Amino acid sequence: MRRQQRPRARNQRVSSFRQRRQQHLLDVKVRSRKAVQHRNRKFLVVFSKIALVVALIAALYVGGRVAAKRFFIDNPDYKLSAIEVQTDGTLQREQILSVADLHEGENIFRVNLARVHQRLQELPQVDEVEIIRKLPAEIDIRIVERKPIAWITSEKQIADPFASDVAFLVDARGVLMKEKKLLPEYLGLPLILGCASESLEAGKTVQSPEAKSALELLRLSTRSFMQTRFQIREIDVSKAYCLIVTDKNHSRVTFGFDNLDTQLQRLEQFLIYSDDAHRELATVNLVVQRNIPVTFQKPAAEVINETVKPEESPRVMKAIALNAPPKPVAATPTPKPKRPKPTPTATARPRPTPTATPTPTPMKRGLLQPFFKKN
């Protein structure tokens, strides 16, 4: 009789643990081999794409260089044949081309415009630079030079800034310049004296507060009224706490470093008062805010009278002849010999004493002429 089998549970495994383990190991080996093959195939695909892109880029680069050299670099149509230079100052064309290292005949594409711009901007006289490349063979250079507004020196007194080696030109931004070609209008520029707190050198910018205050004063004094009435000639900054300004009329005005605009407004009131009173300012101290000390110059007539003082009694000048004849020397008279007196004798008669006859009074002819005319 056949044994009757038990019914198997619904969640009971058919294979044993060992069978399942062996089956899992075989499955892992198959999967890992397939993963390696898939990864290698993917890497080859990516590498081939990158290599293809690199090869295309290299081909384009090499082809571009060859084409650029053939059509642009070695093309005689692009040789630099014209260099136009425009400037509003004293810089010469030869000096600009030498600093920029530009030469006619070189290829226009070999010119590094950024380098040329940097070299020209380093010149102390240059304020702005514009460089334009015009194909096929022209380069335009436009330069705006700095406009000097004053002379500056570390000396307290200087006779001629033109001939001095320690005097520099300075613009409104404080950049120092040493011009090779001096123009006549530079001689009339104001002079900033006594700036010894910093080393003056062409191309540098002044940093001292007194020099900056002097430049600010020059900028503010260019207003309509002050420019015609108060023309600055010298600014002495050697005191290090104030500015002593001398104008064209030799008036000395003392300014402080702060609130220059307010001080100029006070000075403008003094100038208007002096014009109305027909008197010229001598000294003004604007550092003081209240009770400002002011002195006026003496009138011209008073100065002349003090210079030439008349004498109390006029002197009588006697003219002396240049070739006066010599005075005759008086001869010494020789004494006459004395005659002996005669001795009276008996027979000699005494001489009679002469009586004095009255002399008639002479009459003037002028008194007698009318009498004769009447008769």
Side-chain angles (χ1 to χ4, degrees), residues 105-118:
E106 62 179 330
N107 189 271
I108 193 173
F109 293 105
R110 293 186 180 274
V111 178
N112 192 338
L113 299 184
R115 187 180 303 172
V116 173
H117 185 280
Q118 181 180 359

Side-chain angles (χ1 to χ4, degrees), residues 30-41:
V30 173
R31 289 180 180 178
S32 62
R33 192 177 297 111
K34 290 182 178 180
V36 171
Q37 293 176 357
H38 180 71
R39 187 168 57 251
N40 293 338
R41 191 181 301 110

Side-chain angles (χ1 to χ4, degrees), residues 183-201:
L183 300 178
E185 55 264 25
Y186 293 166
L187 188 60
L189 294 177
L191 182 60
I192 302 176
L193 299 170
C195 187
S197 59
E198 59 182 342
S199 59
L200 301 179
E201 185 178 349

Side-chain angles (χ1 to χ4, degrees), residues 161-176:
F162 269 74
S164 177
D165 295 334
V166 295
F168 296 85
L169 291 168
V170 60
D171 70 340
R173 299 181 182 179
V175 181
L176 301 176

